[in-house]
Amino acid sequence: MEVIRGIRQMQEKALTVRAAGRSIALVPTMGFLHEGHLELMRVGRRLCDVLVISIFVNPTQFGPSEDFDQYPRDEEGDLQKARDVGVDLVFIPTAREMYPEGFQSVVHVERVTQGLCGTSRPGHFDGVTTVVAKLFNIVGPDVAVFGQKDYQQLTAISRMVTDLNMPVKIVGVPTVREPDGLAMSSRNKYLDQEERASALSLKKSLDLAERMLAEGETDAGVVRQAVESLILEHPHTRIDYVTLCDPVSLEEVTRLGEETLLALAVHVGRTRLIDNRVIRKGTPGPPEDEGAS
Ligand code: AMP
C-alpha cells in the first residue's frame, strides 16, 4: 500500500494508473476509520482495479464553534486498517496545499443543502462539495463511494456530479451500525457511558416512525412529535432537527408518501449525532423490542 501526501504526486500516479487502462475507486474520509468506512472500501475494492482512499479532516466544512481541533485522528491506526482491507493507495494531503493562500473558489449546490444539516451548519455543504470536487480532480476516480449515513451529503454530491457533468459514478452504501443499532461514527468516541445509552434514542426513534407508518399513521406532524418525545425521554439529549422529507428533493412533507426520509440530528451531551432512514409504506415495521437487542 502506497501513501501519497502531495497533490501533484497523486495526480501523476492517477494518470499512470489510467494510462494502464485500470479503473480507480475513491473513498473520501476524514480518518479515524471504523467499520462503516471499511465497508465503503470493500465496496470500492469490488468495483474497480485500484482502490484509493483519502484521509483529510477538511477545515472548510467545520463551523467556527465546531469540533475541528478536537476531531479524532489516528493516522497509524488508519493505515493499518486500510492495509488490512486491501487499499492500494492512501492520499493524505495537507490543508496548506489543499487551500493555499489566495484560494477563493467554491462549489455550491443550491436546494438540497438548504434544510436539515444545512440549517444548523451554514457553509458546511459548500465545504463538502468543494473538497470532494477537488479530490475528484486530483484522483480522477471512475467510482466514488459514500455512506448513506450522511444522506444529505450523498444527495448534494450526486447533484453536483450530475449538474457539473463530472465523469464519476457515485455509489451509496447503507449505514453500518453497532450491534445495538447505533450508527457508527468517528464522533461516537466522544460519548461517555450514559450518553452512549442515550445515543440509542436515534435508532429507536427511526424504528418507532417505521412502526407508526406500518400501523397507518401518515401525518408527518404526529410522527415527528412521537419521535421528538422518544428522543427527549433520554437524558442529555437536545434535538437539532427531526425532519420528514422527500428522499430526492429533501423538501419537508406534511404527509408520509410511498417513501419518506426521516432524518435526525441530536446533540447528546456535547456530541452531535445524525441518523436517517427511508421509511416505506407497505413494509412491516420493526418489532417493538428490536431496539433492546
Ligand atoms: P467521514 O470520515 O465521517 O467524513 O466519513 C467518510 C465516509 O464514510 C462518508 O461517505 C460517510 O458517509 C461514510 N460513513 C461514515 N459513517 C458510516 C457508517 N456508519 N456507515 C456507512 N458509511 C459511513
Side-chain angles (χ1 to χ4, degrees), residues 27-40 54 56 61 71 145-151 153-154 157 171 173-178 182-188 274:
V27 179
T29 80
M30 298 203 299
F32 207 70
L33 302 179
H34 52 66
E35 200 44 46
H37 296 116
L38 302 184
E39 187 56 26
L40 268 50
S54 59
F56 181 56
Q61 69 190 69
Y71 196 83
V145 189
F146 294 88
Q148 289 168 4
K149 158 143 188 297
D150 298 271
Y151 191 100
Q153 167 174 287
L154 175 59
I157 290 166
V171 172
V173 173
T175 302
V176 177
R177 296 175 181 278
E178 299 288 355
L182 178 67
M184 288 193 183
S185 163
S186 305
R187 290 188 169 100
N188 291 349
I274 58 171

Side-chain angles (χ1 to χ4, degrees), residues 246-265:
D246 179 272
V248 176
S249 70
L250 306 191
E251 278 167 20
E252 254 189 278
V253 296
T254 52
R255 288 253 149 232
L256 276 62
E258 288 306 313
E259 291 197 336
T260 307
L261 173 71
L262 171 56
L264 314 169

Side-chain angles (χ1 to χ4, degrees), residues 117-193:
C117 293
T119 308
S120 46
R121 305 187 72 189
H124 168 69
F125 288 110
D126 281 359
V128 168
T129 43
T130 303
V131 80
V132 170
K134 282 171 69 69
L135 290 169
F136 288 176
N137 283 334
I138 295 165
V139 177
D142 299 274
V143 171
V145 189
F146 294 88
Q148 289 168 4
K149 158 143 188 297
D150 298 271
Y151 191 100
Q152 191 177 16
Q153 167 174 287
L154 175 59
T155 303
I157 290 166
S158 302
R159 197 67 251 170
M160 167 184 81
V161 162
T162 302
D163 289 352
L164 301 183
N165 309 101
M166 293 178 169
V168 53
K169 180 177 158 53
I170 302 299
V171 172
V173 173
T175 302
V176 177
R177 296 175 181 278
E178 299 288 355
D180 65 1
L182 178 67
M184 288 193 183
S185 163
S186 305
R187 290 188 169 100
N188 291 349
K189 174 188 156 61
Y190 298 145
L191 301 168
D192 67 25
Q193 208 179 336

